[in-house]
Protein backbone atom coordinates (compact mmCIF):
# COMPACT_ATOMS: atom_id res chain seq x y z
CA UNK A 1 0.00 0.00 0.00
CA UNK A 2 1.39 3.38 -0.91
CA UNK A 3 0.95 6.31 1.40
CA UNK A 4 0.38 9.71 -0.08
CA UNK A 5 2.92 12.10 1.34
CA UNK A 6 1.55 15.26 2.97
CA UNK A 7 2.88 17.80 0.42
CA UNK A 8 1.48 15.69 -2.37
CA UNK A 9 -1.82 15.42 -0.57
CA UNK A 10 -1.80 19.20 -0.10
CA UNK A 11 -1.19 19.64 -3.77
CA UNK A 12 -4.03 17.29 -4.66
CA UNK A 13 -6.28 19.07 -2.18
CA UNK A 14 -5.34 22.35 -3.79
CA UNK A 15 -6.46 21.15 -7.21
CA UNK A 16 -9.82 20.16 -5.76
CA UNK A 17 -10.17 23.39 -3.81
CA UNK A 18 -12.78 26.01 -4.58
CA UNK A 19 -9.93 28.52 -4.74
CA UNK A 20 -8.27 26.69 -7.58
CA UNK A 21 -11.46 26.03 -9.48
CA UNK A 22 -12.61 29.59 -9.02
CA UNK A 23 -9.34 30.95 -10.40
CA UNK A 24 -9.32 28.38 -13.18
CA UNK A 25 -12.79 29.30 -14.39
CA UNK A 26 -12.12 32.96 -13.96
CA UNK A 27 -8.89 32.70 -15.94
CA UNK A 28 -10.50 30.60 -18.65
CA UNK A 29 -13.29 33.12 -19.09
CA UNK A 30 -10.86 36.01 -19.04
CA UNK A 31 -8.66 34.25 -21.62
CA UNK A 32 -11.67 33.81 -23.83
CA UNK A 33 -12.64 37.45 -23.50
CA UNK A 34 -9.06 38.56 -24.16
CA UNK A 35 -8.82 36.31 -27.22
CA UNK A 36 -12.06 37.70 -28.60
CA UNK A 37 -10.97 41.25 -27.85
CA UNK A 38 -7.53 40.72 -29.39
CA UNK A 39 -9.07 39.17 -32.48
CA UNK A 40 -11.39 42.13 -32.81
CA UNK A 41 -8.61 44.67 -32.35
CA UNK A 42 -6.31 42.78 -34.70
CA UNK A 43 -8.94 42.54 -37.39
CA UNK A 44 -9.86 46.21 -37.10
CA UNK A 45 -6.28 47.39 -37.05
CA UNK A 46 -5.26 45.19 -39.96
CA UNK A 47 -8.16 46.53 -41.96
CA UNK A 48 -6.99 50.03 -41.12
CA UNK A 49 -3.37 49.26 -42.02
CA UNK A 50 -4.41 47.68 -45.27
CA UNK A 51 -6.80 50.50 -46.07
CA UNK A 52 -4.08 53.00 -45.41
CA UNK A 53 -1.58 51.11 -47.57
CA UNK A 54 -4.13 50.87 -50.34
CA UNK A 55 -4.85 54.54 -50.17
CA UNK A 56 -1.13 55.31 -50.54
CA UNK A 57 -0.81 52.84 -53.40
CA UNK A 58 -3.75 54.34 -55.25
CA UNK A 59 -2.29 57.78 -54.98
CA UNK A 60 1.00 56.51 -56.28
CA UNK A 61 -0.78 54.59 -59.00
CA UNK A 62 -2.42 57.87 -60.06
CA UNK A 63 0.98 59.48 -60.34
CA UNK A 64 2.46 56.47 -62.10
CA UNK A 65 -0.33 56.29 -64.64
CA UNK A 66 -0.09 60.02 -65.15
CA UNK A 67 3.52 59.55 -66.16
CA UNK A 68 2.71 56.86 -68.70
CA UNK A 69 3.40 56.08 -71.42
CA UNK A 70 6.38 58.38 -71.82
CA UNK A 71 8.94 55.69 -71.10
CA UNK A 72 6.45 52.90 -70.47
CA UNK A 73 7.79 52.98 -66.98
CA UNK A 74 7.77 55.53 -64.16
CA UNK A 75 11.17 54.54 -62.93
CA UNK A 76 11.73 57.83 -61.17
CA UNK A 77 8.51 57.42 -59.25
CA UNK A 78 9.34 53.97 -57.91
CA UNK A 79 11.00 53.24 -54.62
CA UNK A 80 13.89 50.81 -54.29
CA UNK A 81 11.70 47.84 -53.44
CA UNK A 82 8.82 48.62 -55.74
CA UNK A 83 7.72 46.69 -58.76
CA UNK A 84 5.87 48.01 -61.74
CA UNK A 85 4.43 45.88 -64.51
CA UNK A 86 2.44 46.68 -67.55
CA UNK A 87 0.46 43.76 -68.90
CA UNK A 88 -0.94 43.52 -72.34
CA UNK A 89 -4.43 42.20 -72.96
CA UNK A 90 -2.89 38.86 -73.92
CA UNK A 91 -1.41 38.60 -70.46
CA UNK A 92 2.11 39.21 -71.64
CA UNK A 93 4.44 41.59 -69.86
CA UNK A 94 4.73 44.81 -71.85
CA UNK A 95 7.06 46.46 -69.41
CA UNK A 96 8.62 45.59 -66.07
CA UNK A 97 10.53 47.76 -63.65
CA UNK A 98 11.85 47.47 -60.17
CA UNK A 99 13.23 44.61 -58.21
CA UNK A 100 11.40 41.78 -59.90
CA UNK A 101 13.34 39.46 -62.18
CA UNK A 102 11.81 38.55 -65.49
CA UNK A 103 10.59 35.21 -64.21
CA UNK A 104 9.10 36.82 -61.15
CA UNK A 105 7.41 39.47 -63.22
CA UNK A 106 5.80 36.69 -65.20
CA UNK A 107 4.70 35.00 -61.99
CA UNK A 108 3.17 38.16 -60.72
CA UNK A 109 1.47 38.73 -64.01
CA UNK A 110 0.05 35.23 -63.84
CA UNK A 111 -1.11 35.57 -60.29
CA UNK A 112 -2.53 38.96 -61.18
CA UNK A 113 -4.48 37.65 -64.09
CA UNK A 114 -7.72 36.69 -62.36
CA UNK A 115 -7.61 40.06 -60.64
CA UNK A 116 -6.88 42.11 -63.69
CA UNK A 117 -8.74 40.57 -66.62
CA UNK A 118 -11.79 42.67 -65.87
CA UNK A 119 -9.81 45.85 -66.23
CA UNK A 120 -8.92 45.37 -69.85
CA UNK A 121 -12.49 45.79 -70.88
CA UNK A 122 -12.76 49.28 -69.46
CA UNK A 123 -10.58 52.18 -70.25
CA UNK A 124 -9.95 53.14 -66.74
CA UNK A 125 -11.06 50.18 -64.70
CA UNK A 126 -11.39 50.25 -60.98
CA UNK A 127 -8.44 49.49 -58.80
CA UNK A 128 -7.95 45.93 -57.70
CA UNK A 129 -5.62 45.13 -54.90
CA UNK A 130 -4.19 42.04 -53.28
CA UNK A 131 -1.47 41.11 -50.90
CA UNK A 132 0.87 38.30 -51.78
CA UNK A 133 4.21 36.86 -50.79
CA UNK A 134 6.91 37.51 -53.26
CA UNK A 135 8.27 34.22 -54.42
CA UNK A 136 11.89 34.64 -53.38
CA UNK A 137 11.61 36.77 -50.24
CA UNK A 138 9.20 36.24 -47.41
CA UNK A 139 8.08 39.83 -47.52
CA UNK A 140 4.51 40.51 -48.33
CA UNK A 141 3.75 42.88 -51.12
CA UNK A 142 0.65 44.81 -51.77
CA UNK A 143 -0.26 45.02 -55.41
CA UNK A 144 -2.71 47.34 -57.08
CA UNK A 145 -3.84 46.86 -60.63
CA UNK A 146 -5.70 49.24 -62.84
CA UNK A 147 -6.85 49.20 -66.40
CA UNK A 148 -5.08 51.68 -68.67
CA UNK A 149 -4.91 52.38 -72.36
CA UNK A 150 -1.43 52.31 -73.82
CA UNK A 151 -1.03 53.29 -77.43
CA UNK A 152 -4.70 52.76 -77.98
CA UNK A 153 -4.49 49.26 -76.55
CA UNK A 154 -6.10 48.23 -73.26
CA UNK A 155 -3.54 47.14 -70.73
CA UNK A 156 -3.23 46.65 -67.03
CA UNK A 157 -0.80 48.50 -64.83
CA UNK A 158 0.33 46.68 -61.72
CA UNK A 159 2.18 48.44 -58.96
CA UNK A 160 3.66 46.42 -56.10
CA UNK A 161 5.24 47.68 -52.95
CA UNK A 162 6.30 46.03 -49.69
CA UNK A 163 3.30 45.65 -47.49
CA UNK A 164 3.63 46.82 -43.93
CA UNK A 165 7.32 47.70 -44.18
CA UNK A 166 7.47 48.85 -40.56
CA UNK A 167 6.17 45.54 -39.21
CA UNK A 168 3.02 47.08 -37.78
CA UNK A 169 1.23 43.73 -37.97
CA UNK A 170 3.89 41.95 -36.07
CA UNK A 171 4.18 44.54 -33.34
CA UNK A 172 0.39 44.68 -33.02
CA UNK A 173 0.30 40.93 -32.63
CA UNK A 174 3.14 41.02 -30.13
CA UNK A 175 1.52 43.83 -28.16
CA UNK A 176 -1.79 42.02 -28.00
CA UNK A 177 -0.13 38.76 -27.00
CA UNK A 178 2.08 40.33 -24.36
CA UNK A 179 -0.83 42.41 -23.03
CA UNK A 180 -3.08 39.37 -22.82
CA UNK A 181 -0.45 37.23 -21.11
CA UNK A 182 0.33 39.97 -18.63
CA UNK A 183 -3.36 40.47 -17.90
CA UNK A 184 -3.81 36.75 -17.41
CA UNK A 185 -0.80 36.53 -15.12
CA UNK A 186 -2.07 39.43 -13.02
CA UNK A 187 -5.55 37.91 -13.02
CA UNK A 188 -4.25 34.53 -11.85
CA UNK A 189 -2.13 36.10 -9.12
CA UNK A 190 -4.85 38.49 -8.04
CA UNK A 191 -7.48 35.80 -8.34
CA UNK A 192 -5.56 33.42 -6.11
CA UNK A 193 -4.99 36.15 -3.57
CA UNK A 194 -8.64 37.17 -3.62
CA UNK A 195 -9.92 33.61 -3.49
CA UNK A 196 -7.54 32.91 -0.64
CA UNK A 197 -8.85 35.91 1.25
CA UNK A 198 -12.47 35.02 0.53
CA UNK A 199 -11.95 31.45 1.64
CA UNK A 200 -10.12 32.27 4.86
CA UNK A 201 -13.34 32.35 6.94
CA UNK A 202 -14.20 28.93 5.56
CA UNK A 203 -10.87 27.65 6.85
CA UNK A 204 -11.66 29.26 10.21
CA UNK A 205 -15.05 27.56 10.27
CA UNK A 206 -13.52 24.20 9.34
CA UNK A 207 -10.86 24.58 12.01
CA UNK A 208 -13.40 25.50 14.66
CA UNK A 209 -15.72 22.68 13.66
CA UNK A 210 -12.79 20.29 14.00
CA UNK A 211 -12.05 21.55 17.46
CA UNK A 212 -15.59 21.34 18.72
CA UNK A 213 -16.09 18.05 20.41
CA UNK A 214 -19.20 16.51 21.81
CA UNK A 215 -18.22 17.40 25.32
CA UNK A 216 -17.26 20.98 24.57
CA UNK A 217 -20.02 22.61 22.62
CA UNK A 218 -19.35 26.01 24.11
CA UNK A 219 -17.08 27.21 21.29
CA UNK A 220 -18.49 29.72 18.83
CA UNK A 221 -17.10 31.10 15.59
CA UNK A 222 -18.21 34.67 16.29
CA UNK A 223 -17.43 35.76 12.77
CA UNK A 224 -18.32 39.42 12.55
CA UNK A 225 -18.53 39.85 8.78
CA UNK A 226 -21.89 40.63 7.25
CA UNK A 227 -21.36 38.66 4.06
CA UNK A 228 -22.56 35.20 3.10
CA UNK A 229 -19.86 33.50 5.14
CA UNK A 230 -20.75 35.62 8.14
CA UNK A 231 -24.31 34.41 7.66
CA UNK A 232 -23.08 30.82 7.46
CA UNK A 233 -21.04 31.27 10.62
CA UNK A 234 -24.02 32.79 12.44
CA UNK A 235 -26.20 29.88 11.33
CA UNK A 236 -23.50 27.53 12.51
CA UNK A 237 -23.31 29.30 15.87
CA UNK A 238 -27.08 29.19 16.21
CA UNK A 239 -26.98 25.47 15.48
CA UNK A 240 -24.34 25.05 18.17
CA UNK A 241 -26.55 27.00 20.57
CA UNK A 242 -29.36 24.58 19.93
CA UNK A 243 -27.10 21.56 20.15
CA UNK A 244 -25.55 22.77 23.36
CA UNK A 245 -28.98 23.40 24.84
CA UNK A 246 -30.18 20.00 23.68
CA UNK A 247 -27.15 18.29 25.21
CA UNK A 248 -27.61 20.24 28.42
CA UNK A 249 -31.27 19.23 28.53
CA UNK A 250 -30.28 15.65 27.90
CA UNK A 251 -27.73 15.72 30.71
CA UNK A 252 -30.22 17.38 33.01
CA UNK A 253 -32.81 14.79 32.07
CA UNK A 254 -30.52 11.89 32.91
CA UNK A 255 -29.47 13.57 36.16
CA UNK A 256 -33.09 14.24 37.11
CA UNK A 257 -34.17 10.74 36.22
CA UNK A 258 -31.37 9.23 38.31
CA UNK A 259 -32.16 11.53 41.17
CA UNK A 260 -35.83 10.73 40.93
CA UNK A 261 -35.09 7.02 41.10
CA UNK A 262 -32.62 7.30 43.95
CA UNK A 263 -35.14 8.40 46.56
CA UNK A 264 -37.55 5.46 46.18
CA UNK A 265 -34.63 3.03 45.89
CA UNK A 266 -33.21 4.36 49.14
CA UNK A 267 -36.60 4.05 50.79
CA UNK A 268 -36.99 0.47 49.57
CA UNK A 269 -33.50 -0.33 50.87
CA UNK A 270 -34.19 1.22 54.25
CA UNK A 271 -37.52 -0.53 54.62
CA UNK A 272 -36.03 -3.90 53.69
CA UNK A 273 -33.06 -3.41 56.08
CA UNK A 274 -35.37 -2.43 58.86
CA UNK A 275 -37.64 -5.42 58.29
CA UNK A 276 -34.68 -7.78 58.23
CA UNK A 277 -32.87 -6.28 61.21
CA UNK A 278 -34.70 -8.36 63.82
CA UNK A 279 -37.96 -9.96 64.75
CA UNK A 280 -40.88 -7.81 63.71
CA UNK A 281 -44.60 -8.09 64.18
CA UNK A 282 -46.71 -9.09 61.18
CA UNK A 283 -48.03 -5.51 61.14
CA UNK A 284 -44.49 -4.17 60.83
CA UNK A 285 -43.80 -6.49 57.91
CA UNK A 286 -47.05 -5.51 56.32
CA UNK A 287 -46.23 -1.84 56.62
CA UNK A 288 -42.75 -2.38 55.24
CA UNK A 289 -44.08 -4.33 52.29
CA UNK A 290 -46.76 -1.70 51.73
CA UNK A 291 -44.13 1.04 51.56
CA UNK A 292 -41.95 -1.07 49.29
CA UNK A 293 -44.86 -1.74 46.99
CA UNK A 294 -45.85 1.90 46.85
CA UNK A 295 -42.28 2.99 46.10
CA UNK A 296 -42.07 0.27 43.51
CA UNK A 297 -45.28 1.51 41.94
CA UNK A 298 -43.82 4.98 41.83
CA UNK A 299 -40.69 3.71 40.09
CA UNK A 300 -42.74 1.66 37.67
CA UNK A 301 -44.76 4.73 36.77
CA UNK A 302 -41.63 6.80 36.42
CA UNK A 303 -39.89 4.28 34.19
CA UNK A 304 -43.03 3.93 32.06
CA UNK A 305 -43.17 7.72 31.68
CA UNK A 306 -39.49 7.88 30.84
CA UNK A 307 -39.97 5.23 28.21
CA UNK A 308 -42.88 7.10 26.66
CA UNK A 309 -40.82 10.28 26.50
CA UNK A 310 -37.77 8.50 25.15
CA UNK A 311 -39.85 6.96 22.39
CA UNK A 312 -41.32 10.30 21.45
CA UNK A 313 -37.89 11.96 21.56
CA UNK A 314 -36.51 9.44 19.15
CA UNK A 315 -38.84 10.85 16.51
CA UNK A 316 -41.46 8.16 16.81
CA UNK A 317 -44.24 8.53 14.31
CA UNK A 318 -47.86 7.72 15.00
CA UNK A 319 -48.15 4.19 13.71
CA UNK A 320 -51.63 3.24 14.83
CA UNK A 321 -53.56 6.14 13.39
CA UNK A 322 -57.33 5.94 13.56
CA UNK A 323 -60.32 8.24 13.37
CA UNK A 324 -61.22 9.25 16.91
CA UNK A 325 -63.52 11.61 18.74
CA UNK A 326 -62.07 13.78 21.49
CA UNK A 327 -65.43 13.60 23.28
CA UNK A 328 -65.31 9.81 23.44
CA UNK A 329 -61.73 9.91 24.67
CA UNK A 330 -62.81 12.33 27.40
CA UNK A 331 -65.60 9.96 28.49
CA UNK A 332 -63.14 7.05 28.55
CA UNK A 333 -60.63 8.93 30.65
CA UNK A 334 -63.31 10.17 33.05
CA UNK A 335 -64.67 6.66 33.52
CA UNK A 336 -61.20 5.33 34.28
CA UNK A 337 -60.55 8.00 36.86
CA UNK A 338 -63.93 8.21 38.56
CA UNK A 339 -62.68 5.89 41.32
CA UNK A 340 -59.63 8.06 42.03
CA UNK A 341 -61.80 11.17 42.04
CA UNK A 342 -64.20 9.61 44.52
CA UNK A 343 -61.35 8.60 46.79
CA UNK A 344 -60.08 12.17 46.74
CA UNK A 345 -63.55 13.61 47.29
CA UNK A 346 -63.39 15.40 43.95
CA UNK A 347 -66.42 15.75 41.78
CA UNK A 348 -65.44 14.69 38.27
CA UNK A 349 -67.89 15.83 35.64
CA UNK A 350 -68.15 16.27 31.90
CA UNK A 351 -69.58 19.30 30.19
CA UNK A 352 -70.80 19.45 26.63
CA UNK A 353 -69.06 16.81 24.55
CA UNK A 354 -70.04 17.46 20.94
CA UNK A 355 -68.34 15.51 18.22
CA UNK A 356 -64.70 16.60 17.91
CA UNK A 357 -63.10 14.39 15.26
CA UNK A 358 -59.40 13.75 15.36
CA UNK A 359 -56.96 11.35 13.69
CA UNK A 360 -54.42 9.80 15.98
CA UNK A 361 -53.15 7.10 18.25
CA UNK A 362 -55.91 6.19 20.69
CA UNK A 363 -53.57 4.89 23.39
CA UNK A 364 -51.46 8.04 23.42
CA UNK A 365 -54.36 10.47 23.30
CA UNK A 366 -56.10 8.63 26.10
CA UNK A 367 -52.94 8.95 28.18
CA UNK A 368 -52.82 12.66 27.38
CA UNK A 369 -56.41 13.26 28.55
CA UNK A 370 -55.92 10.98 31.57
CA UNK A 371 -52.79 12.86 32.67
CA UNK A 372 -54.66 16.17 32.60
CA UNK A 373 -57.69 14.81 34.45
CA UNK A 374 -55.48 13.01 36.96
CA UNK A 375 -53.57 16.23 37.63
CA UNK A 376 -56.89 17.99 38.20
CA UNK A 377 -57.90 15.37 40.73
CA UNK A 378 -54.48 15.34 42.41
CA UNK A 379 -53.92 19.07 42.64
CA UNK A 380 -57.46 20.45 42.93
CA UNK A 381 -57.04 20.47 46.65
CA UNK A 382 -59.27 17.76 48.05
CA UNK A 383 -62.86 17.35 49.02
CA UNK A 384 -65.47 19.69 47.65
CA UNK A 385 -63.52 20.65 44.55
CA UNK A 386 -64.49 19.66 41.07
CA UNK A 387 -62.82 18.85 37.77
CA UNK A 388 -64.71 19.42 34.57
CA UNK A 389 -63.87 18.03 31.13
CA UNK A 390 -65.27 19.58 27.96
CA UNK A 391 -64.59 19.24 24.27
CA UNK A 392 -65.59 21.20 21.22
CA UNK A 393 -65.02 21.74 17.54
CA UNK A 394 -64.29 25.19 16.10
CA UNK A 395 -63.93 25.78 12.37
CA UNK A 396 -60.11 25.58 12.55
CA UNK A 397 -59.47 23.27 15.46
CA UNK A 398 -60.94 20.76 17.87
CA UNK A 399 -60.26 21.24 21.56
CA UNK A 400 -60.46 19.62 24.95
CA UNK A 401 -60.36 21.49 28.25
CA UNK A 402 -59.80 20.18 31.74
CA UNK A 403 -60.77 22.80 34.30
CA UNK A 404 -60.61 22.63 38.07
CA UNK A 405 -61.51 25.07 40.80
CA UNK A 406 -58.47 24.16 42.86
CA UNK A 407 -55.72 26.38 44.27
CA UNK A 408 -54.35 27.34 40.88
CA UNK A 409 -50.72 27.87 39.89
CA UNK A 410 -48.66 31.03 40.44
CA UNK A 411 -47.62 32.77 37.23
CA UNK A 412 -43.88 32.26 37.82
CA UNK A 413 -44.41 28.50 37.57
CA UNK A 414 -46.55 28.56 34.46
CA UNK A 415 -43.70 28.90 31.98
CA UNK A 416 -41.88 25.87 33.44
CA UNK A 417 -44.93 23.70 33.90
CA UNK A 418 -44.23 21.57 30.85
CA UNK A 419 -40.53 21.11 31.64
CA UNK A 420 -39.50 17.60 32.50
CA UNK A 421 -39.41 16.83 36.21
CA UNK A 422 -40.78 20.25 37.03
CA UNK A 423 -42.97 20.23 40.08
CA UNK A 424 -44.47 23.29 41.66
CA UNK A 425 -44.36 21.95 45.16
CA UNK A 426 -42.12 18.94 45.42
CA UNK A 427 -42.98 18.23 49.07
CA UNK A 428 -46.71 18.35 48.44
CA UNK A 429 -46.52 16.23 45.32
CA UNK A 430 -44.54 13.49 46.93
CA UNK A 431 -46.64 13.14 50.02
CA UNK A 432 -48.04 10.02 51.48
CA UNK A 433 -49.36 8.95 48.09
CA UNK A 434 -45.97 7.89 46.80
CA UNK A 435 -47.39 6.57 43.54
CA UNK A 436 -48.16 10.12 42.43
CA UNK A 437 -46.30 12.23 39.94
CA UNK A 438 -42.67 12.84 39.21
CA UNK A 439 -43.06 15.96 37.14
CA UNK A 440 -43.24 14.20 33.78
CA UNK A 441 -47.00 14.14 33.33
CA UNK A 442 -47.39 17.48 31.60
CA UNK A 443 -44.34 17.09 29.38
CA UNK A 444 -45.84 13.82 28.17
CA UNK A 445 -49.11 15.67 27.53
CA UNK A 446 -47.22 18.25 25.51
CA UNK A 447 -45.21 15.68 23.56
CA UNK A 448 -48.33 13.73 22.63
CA UNK A 449 -50.16 16.92 21.61
CA UNK A 450 -47.24 18.04 19.45
CA UNK A 451 -46.89 14.62 17.88
CA UNK A 452 -50.50 15.06 16.74
CA UNK A 453 -49.86 18.58 15.47
CA UNK A 454 -51.56 20.19 18.43
CA UNK A 455 -50.58 22.41 21.34
CA UNK A 456 -51.35 22.71 25.05
CA UNK A 457 -52.25 25.96 26.80
CA UNK A 458 -52.69 26.63 30.45
CA UNK A 459 -54.49 29.42 32.22
CA UNK A 460 -54.31 29.68 35.94
CA UNK A 461 -54.21 32.12 38.79
CA UNK A 462 -53.73 31.34 42.46
CA UNK A 463 -57.09 30.77 44.12
CA UNK A 464 -59.00 30.68 40.87
CA UNK A 465 -58.39 27.18 39.60
CA UNK A 466 -56.60 25.97 36.51
CA UNK A 467 -57.71 25.38 32.93
CA UNK A 468 -55.69 23.25 30.54
CA UNK A 469 -56.68 23.29 26.89
CA UNK A 470 -55.34 21.06 24.13
CA UNK A 471 -56.01 22.12 20.54
CA UNK A 472 -55.60 20.15 17.35
CA UNK A 473 -56.00 21.61 13.92
CA UNK A 474 -59.04 20.16 12.16
CA UNK A 475 -58.29 18.16 9.04
P1 LIG B 1 -46.64 15.26 38.02
O1 LIG B 1 -46.34 14.06 37.24
O2 LIG B 1 -45.79 15.43 39.21
O3 LIG B 1 -48.09 15.46 38.29
P2 LIG B 1 -46.90 17.18 35.97
O4 LIG B 1 -45.92 17.43 34.93
O5 LIG B 1 -48.16 16.51 35.61
O6 LIG B 1 -46.16 16.44 37.13
O7 LIG B 1 -47.25 18.56 36.65
C1 LIG B 1 -46.25 19.43 37.03
C2 LIG B 1 -46.66 20.32 38.17
O8 LIG B 1 -47.74 21.14 37.74
C3 LIG B 1 -47.20 19.55 39.32
O9 LIG B 1 -46.17 19.34 40.24
C4 LIG B 1 -48.25 20.46 39.90
O10 LIG B 1 -47.71 21.21 40.94
C5 LIG B 1 -48.63 21.37 38.79
N1 LIG B 1 -49.99 21.10 38.31
C6 LIG B 1 -50.35 20.31 37.29
N2 LIG B 1 -51.68 20.31 37.11
C7 LIG B 1 -52.19 21.14 38.06
C8 LIG B 1 -53.51 21.55 38.40
N3 LIG B 1 -54.59 21.12 37.74
N4 LIG B 1 -53.64 22.42 39.43
C9 LIG B 1 -52.57 22.85 40.10
N5 LIG B 1 -51.30 22.48 39.85
C10 LIG B 1 -51.12 21.64 38.83
Amino acid sequence: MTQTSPPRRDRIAFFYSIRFRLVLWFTAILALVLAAFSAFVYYNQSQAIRGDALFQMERRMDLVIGSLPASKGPSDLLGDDDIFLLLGSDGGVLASQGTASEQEALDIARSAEPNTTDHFSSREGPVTSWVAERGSSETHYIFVARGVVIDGQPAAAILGSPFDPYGLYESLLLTLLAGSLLTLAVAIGGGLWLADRAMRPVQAITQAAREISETDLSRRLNLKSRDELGELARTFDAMLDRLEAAFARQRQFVADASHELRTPLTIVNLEADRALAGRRTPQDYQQALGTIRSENQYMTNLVTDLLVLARMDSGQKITRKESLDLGELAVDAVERLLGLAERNGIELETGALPEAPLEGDRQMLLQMVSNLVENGIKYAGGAGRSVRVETGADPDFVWLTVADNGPGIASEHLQHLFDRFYQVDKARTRGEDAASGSGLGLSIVQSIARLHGGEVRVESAPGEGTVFQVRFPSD
Side-chain angles (χ1 to χ4, degrees), residues 29-180:
I29 292 170
L30 187 66
L32 219 70
V33 171
L34 279 174
F37 173 75
S38 301
F40 176 74
V41 169
Y42 186 77
Y43 176 78
N44 263 349
Q45 280 304 102
S46 61
Q47 288 296 95
I49 293 172
R50 196 189 167 116
D52 199 46
L54 200 64
F55 181 69
Q56 304 284 350
M57 291 298 281
E58 274 180 54
R59 285 206 7 219
R60 289 179 60 202
M61 186 62 132
D62 282 345
L63 293 174
V64 167
I65 288 177
S67 74
L68 288 177
S71 54
K72 282 203 178 166
S75 51
D76 48 338
L77 288 172
L78 294 180
D80 288 346
D81 298 324
D82 292 345
I83 300 164
F84 179 75
L85 297 174
L86 203 56
L87 304 182
S89 54
D90 57 354
V93 181
L94 298 180
S96 151
Q97 281 185 19
T99 54
S101 64
E102 204 166 315
Q103 182 55 44
E104 204 188 339
L106 275 173
D107 286 346
I108 295 170
R110 210 171 301 126
S111 74
E113 218 166 327
N115 298 308
T116 49
T117 28
D118 288 349
H119 303 317
F120 298 117
S121 51
S122 60
R123 253 179 68 88
E124 292 256 311
V127 174
T128 308
S129 68
W130 69 98
V131 174
E133 251 173 45
R134 260 183 73 185
S136 51
S137 65
E138 295 253 301
T139 14
H140 279 78
Y141 265 59
I142 181 164
F143 294 99
V144 289
R146 191 186 286 182
V148 289
V149 177
I150 301 290
D151 301 336
Q153 292 293 318
I158 298 175
L159 182 64
S161 193
F163 181 58
D164 187 21
Y166 305 113
L168 288 180
Y169 269 95
E170 212 167 302
S171 63
L172 177 66
L173 210 60
L174 271 175
T175 309
L176 285 174
L177 203 70
S180 297

Side-chain angles (χ1 to χ4, degrees), residues 87-389:
L87 304 182
S89 54
D90 57 354
V93 181
L94 298 180
S96 151
Q97 281 185 19
T99 54
S101 64
E102 204 166 315
Q103 182 55 44
E104 204 188 339
L106 275 173
D107 286 346
I108 295 170
R110 210 171 301 126
S111 74
E113 218 166 327
N115 298 308
T116 49
T117 28
D118 288 349
H119 303 317
F120 298 117
S121 51
S122 60
R123 253 179 68 88
E124 292 256 311
V127 174
T128 308
S129 68
W130 69 98
V131 174
E133 251 173 45
R134 260 183 73 185
S136 51
S137 65
E138 295 253 301
T139 14
H140 279 78
Y141 265 59
I142 181 164
F143 294 99
V144 289
R146 191 186 286 182
V148 289
V149 177
I150 301 290
D151 301 336
Q153 292 293 318
I158 298 175
L159 182 64
S161 193
F163 181 58
D164 187 21
Y166 305 113
L168 288 180
Y169 269 95
E170 212 167 302
S171 63
L172 177 66
L173 210 60
L174 271 175
T175 309
L176 285 174
L177 203 70
S180 297
L181 287 179
L182 196 74
T183 311
L184 279 180
V186 171
I188 291 176
L192 274 176
W193 179 76
L194 258 181
D196 216 44
R197 250 181 81 97
M199 286 294 140
R200 214 166 291 156
V202 174
Q203 283 160 2
I205 294 176
T206 313
Q207 185 62 26
R210 232 178 248 146
E211 283 169 20
I212 291 168
S213 68
E214 209 176 281
T215 42
D216 176 27
L217 286 168
S218 59
R219 277 212 48 172
R220 295 292 177 271
L221 300 171
N222 285 328
L223 216 66
K224 290 284 177 283
S225 57
R226 290 159 174 247
D227 55 11
E228 292 90 331
L229 290 173
E231 174 87 29
L232 174 68
R234 277 192 294 282
T235 313
F236 193 80
D237 281 349
M239 188 190 74
L240 282 176
D241 284 344
R242 289 197 300 276
L243 270 181
E244 193 182 15
F247 269 96
R249 269 203 309 276
Q250 201 66 27
R251 268 200 296 270
Q252 187 62 42
F253 184 58
V254 172
D256 287 344
S258 319
H259 179 80
E260 210 61 34
L261 281 169
R262 217 174 51 190
T263 316
L265 282 173
T266 312
I267 295 174
V268 166
N269 247 349
L270 279 175
E271 281 299 317
D273 283 349
R274 214 165 49 166
L276 290 171
R279 288 206 148 268
R280 294 274 178 261
T281 62
Q283 284 89 338
D284 285 343
Y285 286 128
Q286 208 162 16
Q287 199 199 350
L289 282 176
T291 310
I292 288 173
R293 190 183 61 182
S294 135
E295 290 302 323
N296 207 44
Q297 185 60 47
Y298 171 79
M299 286 191 283
T300 310
N301 290 348
L302 177 63
V303 170
T304 312
D305 284 355
L306 284 175
L307 228 99
V308 170
L309 279 174
R311 277 213 202 99
M312 269 184 290
D313 281 352
S314 64
Q316 190 199 31
K317 296 267 182 316
I318 311 167
T319 45
R320 287 164 300 172
K321 216 173 193 175
E322 49 187 309
S323 295
L324 302 166
D325 177 15
L326 264 183
E328 274 178 34
L329 286 170
V331 172
D332 274 7
V334 166
E335 277 174 0
R336 277 172 56 179
L337 293 166
L338 264 179
L340 181 69
E342 257 171 39
R343 259 180 277 136
N344 283 266
I346 302 278
E347 192 177 334
L348 181 56
E349 53 189 25
T350 50
L353 297 174
E355 199 183 351
L358 173 69
E359 291 254 309
D361 183 318
R362 187 185 168 78
Q363 205 65 39
M364 284 190 190
L365 290 168
L366 194 60
Q367 178 173 13
M368 180 192 78
V369 182
S370 301
N371 280 9
L372 288 176
V373 177
E374 205 180 321
N375 274 356
I377 297 171
K378 278 192 310 198
Y379 303 115
R385 307 287 183 157
S386 66
V387 175
R388 187 180 174 80
V389 187

